[in-house]
C-alpha cells in the first residue's frame, strides 16, 4: 500500500522512503498520530495524507459562527455547545496562538481536527492515538492529553459541518524527540548508528535537544532546552516598535509567519525586520553554543551526529556551518516529527 502525502501549509512536503502503513478497515482506525505543536497542528488523515494547520484556536459566538466562510487552511469544530475555529481563519479572527498558552491543555480541542472517520463513514473508533509532548514525565501534561480518550463511551461533534461519532481507546504520549530519533536511526540518517546521536527539535515555543544511546535511551542530564522562535519574535517586536516608531506592538504571530516565509516582512506595509532578526539570531546561536558546550562536554567525544528537526530548524544553520558534519538539518524538518510518529513501531 502506498503512503501518500499532501502539500501542507507553506508548501512543505516530505517524500516517503517506503510504503509501511497499517491497513484501515470500516469504522476502525488502528492508530492516529497527532502533533499539536506550538506553531502548527499536524496529523495524518484517513487517506494517509499529512495535514498541517496553523496552531491557533478561536472560540466564536453563534452569531459569528453563522458568518464564517470555511477554507482549506482551517477546521471548524462544534462540540458540547461550543464553536471553535482552528487554523488560518482563527488567526485572522484574532484567535489565541497555541504558543501563548498551554498546548497540552488545548489538546482535547486541537485533537478534534485529527479525528476523522474512514472515507464513507460517519463513525470511527480510534484504537490508539499517539500524541507528541515536550516531556512525558510531566504528569499534568500527560493527564491533560489523556483526556482525549473516551472509550467505551461515545462522543459526537461536528467537523466542518459534518457529524462525527467517535471513541478513542487509548492515548499514548511520546516525547517529541524520541520518534524522530528512532526513525532517523532506522532510515539511515545517522552516519554512526553505533554511537550516541542526538535530535534537536527547534519549534515555536522551545528548542529541545536530547542525546540518545544506540538502543534509544535518552541521556537525561544531557537535555538542552532553549527558547524557540517565540523568544526571537519577542525581541524583534520590541526593536521594531522603536525603529519604526510604531504606536502598537507588532504581533508575535505576524513576525513568526514572516520568519517562516523567509522574507522578514511584517504586515501590509512590508516593514523589513531582517537586520533586527539577524542580530537576534546571532545572539540565540551564541547562547545555544554555550549551552551545548556546557551540557554536552563529556558526551561530545562519543557523539556521532545531531539531526535538527522542527519548523525553526533553519535558525541553527550557522551552527551547522561551523561544526563540520556533526550538526545537520533534516530534510523537510517541519514534517520530520509527524512522519517519524507514523513510522514508529
Amino acid at each position: 500500500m502506498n503512503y501518500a502525502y499532501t502539500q501542507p501549509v507553506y508548501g512543505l512536503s516530505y517524500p516517503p522512503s517506503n510504503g509501511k502503513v497499517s491497513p484501515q478497515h470500516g469504522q476502525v482506525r488502528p492508530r492516529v498520530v497527532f502533533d499539536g505543536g506550538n506553531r502548527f497542528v499536524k496529523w495524518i488523515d484517513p487517506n494517509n495524507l499529512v495535514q498541517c494547520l496553523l496552531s491557533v484556536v478561536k472560540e466564536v459566538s453563534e452569531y459569528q459562527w453563522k458568518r464564517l466562510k470555511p477554507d482549506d487552511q482551517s477546521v471548524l469544530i462544534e462540540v458540547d455547545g461550543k464553536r471553535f475555529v482552528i487554523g488560518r481563519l482563527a488567526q485572522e479572527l484574532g484567535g489565541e496562538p497555541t504558543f501563548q498558552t498551554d498546548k497540552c491543555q488545548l489538546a482535547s480541542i486541537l485533537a478534534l481536527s485529527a479525528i476523522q472517520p474512514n472515507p464513507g463513514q460517519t463513525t470511527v473508533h480510534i484504537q490508539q492515538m499517539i500524541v507528541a509532548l515536550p516531556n512525558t514525565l510531566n504528569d499534568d501534561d500527560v493527564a491533560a492529553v489523556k483526556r482525549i480518550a473516551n472509550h467505551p463511551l461515545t462522543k459526537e461533534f461536528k467537523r466542518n459541518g459534518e457529524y462525527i461519532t467517535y471513541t478513542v481507546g487509548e492515548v499514548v504520549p511520546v516525547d517529541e524527540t524520541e520518534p524522530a530519533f528512532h526513525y532517523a536511526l532506522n532510515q539511515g540518517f545517522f552516519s554512526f548508528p553505533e554511537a550516541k546521536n542526538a535530535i534537536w527539535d527547534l519549534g515555536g515555543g522551545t528548542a529541545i535537544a536530547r542525546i540518545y544511546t544506540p538502543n534509544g535511551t535518552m541521556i537525561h542530564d544531557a537535555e538542552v532546552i532553549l527558547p524557540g522562535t517565540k523568544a526571537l519574535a519577542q525581541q524583534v517586536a520590541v526593536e521594531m516598535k522603536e525603529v519604526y516608531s510604531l504606536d502598537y506592538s507588532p504581533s508575535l504571530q505576524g513576525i513568526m509567519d514572516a520568519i517562516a516565509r523567509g522574507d522578514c516582512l511584517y504586515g501590509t506595509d512590508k516593514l523589513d525586520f531582517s537586520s533586527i532578526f539577524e542580530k537576534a539570531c546571532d545572539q540565540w546561536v551564541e547562547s545555544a553554543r554555550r549551552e551545548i558546550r556546557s551540557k554536552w562536554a563529556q558526551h561530545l567525544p562519543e557523539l556521532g551526529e545531531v539531526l535538527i528537526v522542527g519548523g525553526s530548524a533553519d535558525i541553527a544553520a550557522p551552527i551547522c556551518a561551523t561544526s563540520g558534519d556533526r550538526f545537520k538539518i533534516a530534510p523537510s524538518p517541519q514534517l520530520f516529527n509527524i512522519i517519524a510518529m507514523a513510522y514508529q513501531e
Side-chain angles (χ1 to χ4, degrees):
M1 182 180 296
N2 290 328
Y3 205 85
Y5 296 86
T6 191
Q7 190 113 334
V9 178
Y10 292 135
L12 302 169
S13 61
Y14 191 90
S17 55
N18 60 45
K20 180 179 176 184
V21 64
S22 300
Q24 300 168 353
H25 300 286
Q27 297 179 345
V28 175
R29 295 187 64 190
R31 186 172 67 170
V32 170
V33 295
F34 174 73
D35 183 1
N38 284 304
R39 278 283 290 150
F40 294 96
V41 176
K42 296 181 284 291
W43 72 95
I44 296 177
D45 72 12
N47 295 312
N48 296 327
L49 303 177
V50 175
Q51 302 294 339
C52 181
L53 299 175
L54 279 173
S55 192
V56 184
V57 179
K58 172 70 173 179
E59 183 176 357
V60 300
S61 68
E62 180 180 0
Y63 297 102
Q64 174 71 80
W65 187 259
K66 293 177 180 179
R67 293 183 171 92
L68 295 183
K69 305 296 184 184
D71 59 59
D72 60 2
Q73 297 184 40
S74 310
V75 171
L76 309 182
I77 299 293
E78 298 174 76
V79 62
D80 297 332
K82 297 182 178 181
R83 301 162 183 83
F84 299 92
V85 184
I86 302 171
R88 174 66 64 186
L89 184 58
Q91 180 191 47
E92 293 166 345
L93 294 174
E96 187 171 30
T98 301
F99 65 77
Q100 291 184 337
T101 182
D102 187 331
K103 68 180 183 180
C104 294
Q105 297 300 320
L106 278 177
S108 59
I109 297 299
L110 293 173
L112 294 177
S113 59
I115 295 178
Q116 298 173 267
N118 290 320
Q121 303 286 334
T122 59
T123 299
V124 61
H125 171 58
I126 297 171
Q127 293 177 333
Q128 191 177 75
M129 178 172 273
I130 314 297
V131 179
L133 295 182
N135 182 2
T136 56
L137 299 182
N138 185 314
D139 292 339
D140 290 339
D141 287 352
V142 170
V145 300
K146 286 200 169 185
R147 287 199 293 267
I148 298 169
N150 62 322
H151 185 75
L153 301 175
T154 60
K155 291 193 69 175
E156 185 178 77
F157 73 106
K158 290 178 74 173
R159 185 186 189 280
N160 290 340
E162 297 183 357
Y163 280 102
I164 294 174
T165 302
Y166 77 96
T167 57
V168 175
E170 179 186 19
V171 172
V172 180
V174 296
D175 285 307
E176 288 173 349
T177 54
E178 185 176 354
F181 169 77
H182 288 294
Y183 179 68
L185 187 67
N186 292 336
Q187 299 298 318
F189 283 96
F190 295 127
S191 300
F192 307 96
E194 73 286 354
K196 299 175 184 176
N197 286 285
I199 295 291
W200 194 359
D201 187 351
L202 271 66
T206 56
I208 303 173
R210 291 172 173 143
I211 297 176
Y212 290 88
T213 66
N215 76 350
T217 299
M218 188 186 87
I219 301 176
H220 185 71
D221 62 2
E223 182 179 62
V224 175
I225 300 179
L226 294 166
T229 51
K230 174 186 173 181
L232 294 176
Q234 289 171 329
Q235 294 181 47
V236 169
V238 171
E239 291 292 324
M240 282 184 66
K241 188 171 182 180
E242 295 295 324
V243 169
Y244 288 103
S245 300
L246 302 176
D247 57 3
Y248 63 90
S249 295
S251 78
L252 302 186
Q253 184 80 45
I255 292 171
M256 293 167 78
D257 285 349
I259 294 170
R261 292 193 307 268
D263 58 24
C264 290
L265 298 176
Y266 180 84
T268 55
D269 292 331
K270 308 282 185 192
L271 300 180
D272 188 344
F273 62 84
S274 55
S275 61
I276 300 173
F277 179 62
E278 183 178 352
K279 178 182 176 182
C281 274
D282 287 344
Q283 295 172 346
W284 185 91
V285 167
E286 286 308 310
S287 175
R289 283 197 177 107
R290 289 194 299 269
E291 189 72 12
I292 287 171
R293 290 193 192 105
S294 173
K295 285 288 187 74
W296 289 5
Q298 66 182 14
H299 301 287
L300 286 175
E302 302 172 344
L303 188 64
E305 292 170 320
V306 181
L307 187 66
I308 304 172
V309 302
S312 304
D314 289 342
I315 293 174
I319 294 178
C320 298
T322 59
S323 65
D325 295 328
R326 179 166 287 186
F327 287 70
K328 60 184 182 183
I329 297 174
S332 297
Q334 169 73 278
L335 299 182
F336 199 91
N337 282 322
I338 195 69
I339 301 301
M341 291 169 66
Y343 275 81
Q344 75 171 10
E345 297 294 340

